[in-house]
Amino acid sequence: MNTLRYITAGESHGRALAGILEGVPSGLPISAEDIDRDLKRRQGGYGRGGRMKIESDYSEILSGVRWGKTIGSPITLLIENRDYENWFEGMSSDINAEGSIPPVTRPRPGHADLPGAIKYDQHDIRNILERSSARETAMRVALGAIARKFLSEFNMKIGSYVIQIGKVKASSEFKVQSSEKELLSLFGRVEKSLVRCPNDTASKGMIKHIDKAVKEGKSLGGIFEVFAIGVPIGLGSHIQWDRRLDGRLARALMSIQAIKGIEIGPGFEMSGKFGSEVMDEIFYSPPHPPLAKGGSRGGNIHGRGMLGFYRKTNFAGGIEGGMTNGMPIILRAAMKPIPTQRKPLRSVDIITGKSVEAAYERSDVCAVPAAGVIGEAMVALTIADAFLEKFGGDNMAETKRNYDSYIKYVRKF
Ligand SMILES: Cc1cc2nc3c(=O)[nH]c(=O)nc-3n(C[C@H](O)[C@H](O)[C@H](O)COP(=O)(O)O)c2cc1C
């Protein structure tokens, strides 16, 4: 059972999205602003469709937080769908509103529409698409913002950037030698780019590529990277398949709508090299600087040259044997092109059985920049879960004590 559990609910055009996060220790400072910052980042990005102009997401904290701090009970969040006023009857739970909008009967290829309709015996595909929509990820980002806040109390940071949109590639900003400092420096640059790409030339190329796709009624996918820095050595485990952190992170990222491939470090590229070229050799120098006052908040505990055992490269993407090894965690996710097409694809009407054009729902042309932000949330939730599994604690002071004592032990090892 996960230490940190979460669940989301809500339809794309329903009244609201809801989410519950359980397992956060008491005493973590959290505000709606902490959450809304990430919601705003998810809504940005060049290539989004009309909906992003209607929606401006804000979270409401319904439970689990009192006077600015968590109290250990489940945290419930609510994000209203501002578009709901246009769907009041169409999405009503009242039987008297039945038939107030026409059913969707033309399944869109690349969506949950057809398998969902058959599996759930629904002849109005709206009953499937409303929940399969990536609108749901707004709540994952909100819950992830709480996990991010928790991790920040232990000096961990999570970021992401886009390295490919369609055929336009930025040479990966992550190099196997990238230090924590180099990765951190990407933060500011990424948020200034409309496509969340830290490379200016590539950003411009990506924007042009999206403009062309919009003009031609086409859609695009791409690749983003997520990194986590400051993660202590030893999260996850080699002991059992489902405790391996690489598998848990891959699952978390793969669960994002339209993500079809995951790499840890330069995973696929490594497969074509000699082993001697891509293993991160182990070095040692005495730990420094001394553990700062306040323990976990002060001293960095690993990374090149900071403490004891270290690596000069990071082909492993921060994970060996299903456990963190103290180096930055680097993950890459490939997103397929947005399936909904302005020039509709061929489909079959589920009522008449006749060949038709697939339904068109207002749609993004490219959502890779937003997917990166969602990836950050999923990584934050997964690492926070593994962290709490290792250090436990019902209140933040207890978790910090456990963490600090482990760090002291690691430094002495
Ligand atoms: C942030 C984000 C936004 C998306 N926006 C759209 C969209 O506007 N139109 C669309 O057809 N698909 C969109 N998708 C992709 C679909 O949600 C996804 O392809 C579909 O639910 C089927 O799931 P699958 O691709 O994982 O099989 C988006 C995905 C993400 C992550």
Side-chain angles (χ1 to χ4, degrees):
M1 195 178 85
N2 290 9
T3 311
L4 194 65
R5 300 193 292 167
Y6 55 98
I7 189 168
T8 73
E11 278 79 41
S12 178
H13 298 97
R15 191 168 97 62
L17 297 171
I20 296 180
L21 179 65
E22 191 196 314
V24 179
S26 67
L28 174 73
I30 192 88
S31 66
E33 290 78 56
D34 291 325
I35 298 166
D36 295 347
R37 207 174 302 126
D38 277 348
L39 286 177
K40 196 159 182 219
R41 289 172 66 233
R42 175 191 167 278
Q43 290 198 285
Y46 207 70
R48 304 303 301 278
R51 176 147 198 186
M52 290 306 116
K53 288 168 200 138
I54 298 170
E55 303 279 352
S56 189
D57 287 333
Y58 296 101
S59 61
E60 217 181 309
I61 302 174
L62 299 189
S63 77
V65 179
R66 183 161 183 248
W67 295 345
K69 283 190 177 164
T70 56
I71 55 171
S73 54
I75 300 169
T76 310
L77 299 182
L78 192 86
I79 302 172
E80 300 228 11
N81 287 326
R82 278 160 213 281
D83 206 12
Y84 180 59
E85 56 196 41
N86 300 318
W87 292 83
F88 188 70
E89 288 197 307
M91 290 304 294
S92 170
S93 60
D94 186 346
I95 195 165
N96 295 315
E98 190 175 4
S100 56
I101 57 171
V104 179
T105 58
R106 296 172 292 148
R108 297 160 306 161
H111 275 278
D113 296 12
L114 184 60
I118 293 172
K119 180 175 166 68
Y120 288 91
D121 189 16
Q122 296 295 326
H123 292 84
D124 180 355
I125 293 168
R126 180 154 303 287
N127 293 343
I128 304 303
L129 67 85
E130 283 289 334
R131 180 63 187 159
S132 67
S133 157
R135 170 77 188 139
E136 174 263 340
T137 58
M139 184 46 75
R140 295 204 229 177
V141 166
L143 299 176
I146 301 174
R148 182 200 297 279
K149 189 75 197 290
F150 170 75
L151 295 175
S152 75
E153 293 285 312
F154 300 89
N155 268 342
M156 284 176 265
K157 288 205 167 68
I158 290 169
S160 71
Y161 45 87
V162 171
I163 58 166
Q164 186 175 333
I165 286 183
K167 61 183 174 50
V168 182
K169 294 181 187 172
S171 58
S172 172
E173 293 296 312
F174 156 68
K175 297 179 191 69
V176 288
Q177 291 85 6
S178 289
S179 65
E180 294 194 349
K181 210 168 139 202
E182 284 161 334
L183 284 167
L184 269 178
S185 78
L186 296 177
F187 266 121
R189 277 156 63 200
V190 169
E191 300 309 329
K192 277 185 207 130
S193 159
L194 288 175
V195 281
R196 306 198 64 254
C197 172
N199 179 309
D200 284 346
T201 318
S203 276
K204 282 184 195 133
M206 289 170 182
I207 289 169
K208 256 194 189 159
H209 198 36
I210 294 171
D211 285 341
K212 191 158 180 277
V214 171
K215 237 188 228 156
E216 294 173 358
K218 292 183 175 154
S219 67
L220 295 167
I223 300 177
F224 64 84
E225 283 184 3
V226 183
F227 61 88
I229 56 183
V231 185
I233 196 162
L235 300 193
S237 176
H238 63 293
I239 294 292
Q240 198 57 261
W241 69 270
D242 58 351
R243 293 181 61 193
R244 292 182 60 108
L245 192 63
D246 43 7
R248 289 157 70 177
L249 286 164
R251 179 189 179 189
L253 285 175
M254 190 66 102
S255 75
I256 301 169
Q257 291 83 340
I259 300 304
K260 297 297 151 195
I262 304 293
E263 273 181 291
I264 301 201
F268 286 96
E269 196 190 317
M270 271 201 294
S271 62
K273 306 252 183 186
F274 290 116
S276 54
E277 294 176 287
V278 293
M279 297 303 139
D280 306 307
E281 292 182 298
I282 301 172
F283 302 90
Y284 183 83
S285 72
H288 72 91
L291 193 61
K293 251 194 177 166
S296 56
R297 289 174 156 280
N300 197 341
I301 31 101
H302 45 240
R304 269 183 304 164
M306 301 302 282
L307 165 83
F309 301 97
Y310 69 97
R311 319 298 177 102
K312 293 180 181 173
T313 55
N314 187 16
F315 285 101
I319 300 179
E320 286 173 311
M323 287 169 281
T324 51
N325 66 3
M327 292 295 281
I329 296 178
I330 311 282
L331 305 150
R332 198 168 300 159
M335 185 176 192
K336 77 181 188 186
I338 295 285
T340 301
Q341 304 293 307
R342 209 175 66 215
K343 289 184 188 153
L345 298 167
R346 285 178 294 179
S347 184
V348 173
D349 190 292
I350 57 168
I351 305 294
T352 65
K354 291 209 170 108
S355 291
V356 287
E357 290 182 338
Y360 178 75
E361 287 275 319
R362 184 179 44 206
S363 187
D364 298 328
V365 167
C366 172
V368 185
V373 178
I374 302 160
E376 289 176 31
M378 293 309 288
V379 168
L381 286 160
T382 309
I383 294 178
D385 179 38
F387 188 91
L388 280 164
E389 185 182 278
K390 176 142 184 64
F391 300 112
D394 295 306
N395 59 76
M396 287 301 285
E398 189 180 9
T399 309
K400 278 181 184 165
R401 271 198 310 273
N402 297 346
Y403 174 76
D404 287 345
S405 110
Y406 175 73
I407 296 307
K408 268 191 203 140
Y409 150 76
V410 172
R411 290 169 69 89
K412 279 201 204 125
F413 183 87

